[in-house]
Amino acid sequence: MEDVFARKDDSLYSNPYSFLRLPMVKDPRDTAADVVILGMPYDMATTGRSGARLGPDAVRRASVNLAWEGFRYPWPFDLRERCNIVDAGDLVFTCGDSEDFLTTATKAASEILETGKALLTLGGDHFVTLPLLRAHYAKHGEMALIHFDAHTDTYSQGSRYDHGTMFYHAPNEGLIDPGVSVQIGIRTDYDRDHHAFNVICAEAANDMTPDEIASHVKALVGAKPAYVTFDIDCLDPAFAPGTGTPVIGGITSNKALRILRGLRGINLVGMDVVEVSPPFDNSEITALAGATIATELLHLWAAK
């Protein structure tokens, strides 16, 4: 009789613990991994609806729907054969202590990057990108930012911990060069006269083809080390309702995937998917969108 405990863990609802059912390790630093997935369940910098702290778990669970694929359509290779990826679970920090989170997140990311591994982070609200950029800067120097979002997150007002201020602080700290950075899908107000980033607003993005957008981004970024941050509210709420600050008029999930595929060839050094908020999700479609975008980012990195 078959050994029931020897069965492959490939059910769509059994044991959905790790992203894409990839190996889970507590400490990834001494592993042979090429890429580490790390959850950051933090949403204390949220200015609207909270709940993004539950995002990493929801994205992992939704990723089970993608785990059965060998070749992720339309990529021409098996991700698991191309590179070694592990899931390091979620960052542990003192609940309610933003300063501890900031210190711990920067240190954890830095120690992973110092071992030569790349990092895919699952947020959490968008504030998590600031400590991640600090850690990546220490490894790679000044970067280009490819930023998918409904908001520029360049606002100077707000508290020290605010998910709308990261890209005000990051250029001032020299972490990123806004002149070669691009923000895609923006559809909320910003100071156009003093805005240093290149912007493809949502109206323009919806009129352009994915290839046109990708070509424009690649021309701006060039060979510079690039960090991709994807706020799920870049997508129209029809495709991603489960987020803290939804704004109608966004791009479709199909267009987002095709833009990411068109970025093949960039010098991708870091990536994150943030702002999935399960309490506001419908039928887990936002979590699935986040998981699919994260999977595309892994393929984009592996395509190097």
Side-chain angles (χ1 to χ4, degrees):
M1 185 176 179
E2 179 187 8
D3 182 353
V4 295
F5 291 103
R7 290 184 176 181
K8 289 186 177 180
D9 197 15
D10 58 2
S11 165
L12 287 180
Y13 44 84
S14 296
N15 305 313
Y17 304 134
S18 68
F19 188 79
L20 293 180
R21 297 197 183 282
L22 293 163
M24 179 165 274
V25 299
K26 182 66 176 177
D27 185 347
R29 291 172 296 182
D30 294 330
T31 68
D34 301 304
V35 185
V36 175
I37 297 166
L38 181 64
M40 290 192 175
Y42 171 90
D43 66 359
M44 290 183 291
T46 301
T47 55
R49 308 184 303 184
S50 61
R53 68 183 64 186
L54 305 174
D57 178 66
V59 169
R60 285 189 178 95
R61 289 177 180 274
S63 76
V64 175
N65 293 280
L66 311 173
W68 62 272
E69 292 185 283
F71 285 67
R72 169 66 188 160
Y73 180 85
W75 292 96
F77 58 84
D78 188 326
L79 181 66
R80 296 165 182 82
E81 294 180 358
R82 179 66 66 95
C83 56
N84 187 358
I85 309 172
V86 299
D87 188 335
D90 291 336
L91 184 74
V92 178
F93 55 94
T94 304
C95 295
D97 188 337
S98 291
E99 187 62 34
D100 183 62
F101 166 77
L102 187 61
T103 302
T104 303
T106 306
K107 186 174 187 292
S110 295
E111 292 187 3
I112 290 171
L113 296 172
E114 285 169 2
T115 65
K117 300 170 178 56
L119 185 61
L120 165 64
T121 305
L122 306 176
D125 70 40
H126 212 158
F127 182 76
V128 306
T129 303
L130 184 57
L132 289 168
L133 287 176
R134 289 170 177 167
H136 282 79
Y137 171 80
K139 175 70 176 179
H140 300 287
E142 185 184 63
M143 296 166 287
L145 184 73
I146 303 174
H147 173 204
F148 293 80
D149 208 321
H151 315 82
T152 64
D153 294 338
T154 55
Y155 312 110
S156 59
Q157 70 273 26
S159 67
R160 183 179 179 187
Y161 310 103
D162 189 317
H163 70 162
T165 62
M166 303 80 60
F167 308 129
Y168 168 78
H169 295 296
N172 289 336
E173 294 180 22
L175 309 179
I176 57 176
D177 179 358
V180 296
S181 298
V182 190
Q183 298 180 312
I184 303 164
I186 305 302
R187 52 193 186 277
T188 50
D189 194 33
Y190 62 97
D191 186 352
R192 293 164 178 77
D193 295 331
H194 302 94
H195 194 68
F197 289 82
N198 300 282
V199 174
I200 303 175
C201 68
E203 288 183 344
N206 281 321
D207 288 339
M208 297 169 70
T209 68
D211 286 343
E212 289 171 339
I213 295 171
S215 295
H216 182 63
V217 172
K218 291 169 76 172
L220 285 167
V221 171
K224 200 172 185 69
Y227 188 99
V228 176
T229 180
F230 200 109
D231 186 325
I232 206 68
D233 72 24
C234 179
L235 303 181
D236 190 273
F239 303 91
T243 191
T245 49
V247 184
I248 66 168
I251 65 175
T252 68
S253 52
N254 176 59
K255 176 163 279 190
L257 295 179
R258 292 173 65 188
I259 294 169
L260 290 174
R261 293 166 191 158
L263 295 179
R264 183 169 181 168
I266 65 169
N267 182 17
L268 180 62
V269 298
M271 46 204 161
D272 65 53
V273 179
V274 298
E275 296 285 357
V276 173
S277 183
F280 300 99
D281 206 1
N282 296 327
S283 302
E284 301 178 345
I285 62 174
T286 311
L288 180 60
T292 307
I293 289 164
T295 303
E296 292 294 318
L297 287 171
L298 289 173
H299 281 79
L300 181 61
W301 187 90
K304 296 195 303 180

